[in-house]
Amino acid sequence: MQLYGSQSSPYVRRLRLLLAEYPHEFISMNIFESADRERLIKLNPTRKVPMLSDGAQVVFDSGVIFRYLSQKFSWAPLSWDEENTLTLINAVNDSLVEILLCQRSGFDTNDNKLFFNLQRERTHAVLTVLEQKAQQGEFQRWNYLAMSLYALLDWAAFRNLTDLTPFNALNAFVATAKNHPGIALSDPRLS
Ligand SMILES: N[C@@H](CCC(=O)N[C@@H](CS)C(=O)NCC(=O)O)C(=O)O
């Protein structure tokens, strides 16, 4: 099984954490560099990572890869409430990926423009909900949701994409999760 992705991507990192104790090969790519991009788009027209290859089967998108792995290893499916929590994490993750791409395209993302305002509002509102969930102990088990949240928060801090200082329970969660398998190897600061 090969997992394709970049060292810095939070969507890739959640799967690296999930697979940390399962046999697999991580194929590290720089998807904006021409040789790696060619290799990616031959298999994956979405031009996004993560991507999984297992024998003849290629799978795109972290959520679908998670479902593929759940079936392969007979893990219990997520409950509807867990699916909703994953959607919350993804909503912030998608907004911050868009913000980062806008910054790299030369936009001032602090500008008072509809697109930036929507991403900022969503990020703050959803992080507030995730903070309440963390206060209620929802991320104490090191499962796919906790891994996805950890990958998001650590990457957002690394890229300085949003102010995380008001979110005490989320910061405490990040501090306590640092020793889990695969964390050091998948650090975006190694990119
Ligand atoms: N819904 C996708 C999102 C993946 C995604 O946004 N990946 C980013 C890296 S973190 C990417 O490949 N971006 C390249 C681009 O937007 O061109 C998933 O869950 O896998």
Side-chain angles (χ1 to χ4, degrees), residues 110-123:
N110 291 316
D111 217 352
N112 181 16
K113 289 277 190 274
L114 176 66
F115 181 80
F116 303 137
N117 294 347
L118 291 176
Q119 311 317 314
R120 268 198 301 274
E121 282 167 23
R122 178 175 16 261
T123 297

Side-chain angles (χ1 to χ4, degrees), residues 28-140:
S28 178
M29 313 183 101
N30 176 351
I31 62 167
F32 299 114
E33 184 266 312
S34 59
D36 281 355
R37 193 165 186 79
E38 280 305 308
R39 192 170 175 206
L40 176 69
I41 66 185
K42 267 197 191 123
L43 294 170
N44 181 355
T46 72
R47 296 160 147 75
K48 289 189 182 185
V49 287
M51 174 177 81
L52 185 82
S53 164
D54 187 19
Q57 186 65 61
V58 174
V59 187
F60 321 137
D61 191 280
S62 64
V64 185
I65 295 171
F66 176 70
R67 286 208 333 261
Y68 178 86
L69 293 171
S70 298
Q71 214 175 71
K72 183 179 172 88
F73 296 119
S74 305
W75 298 331
L78 297 181
S79 68
W80 295 118
D81 284 340
E82 287 172 329
E83 291 278 8
N84 282 341
T85 301
L86 190 59
T87 300
L88 291 171
I89 295 168
N90 291 347
V92 178
N93 214 325
D94 285 340
S95 279
L96 294 182
V97 166
E98 299 299 326
I99 289 289
L100 181 64
L101 289 177
C102 286
Q103 288 175 357
R104 290 186 171 171
S105 304
F107 292 102
D108 175 3
T109 56
N110 291 316
D111 217 352
N112 181 16
K113 289 277 190 274
L114 176 66
F115 181 80
F116 303 137
N117 294 347
L118 291 176
Q119 311 317 314
R120 268 198 301 274
E121 282 167 23
R122 178 175 16 261
T123 297
H124 187 80
V126 174
L127 285 176
T128 303
V129 176
L130 292 170
E131 167 77 7
Q132 286 158 3
K133 289 181 177 293
Q135 282 166 1
Q136 288 156 9
E138 276 200 31
F139 303 110
Q140 275 169 5

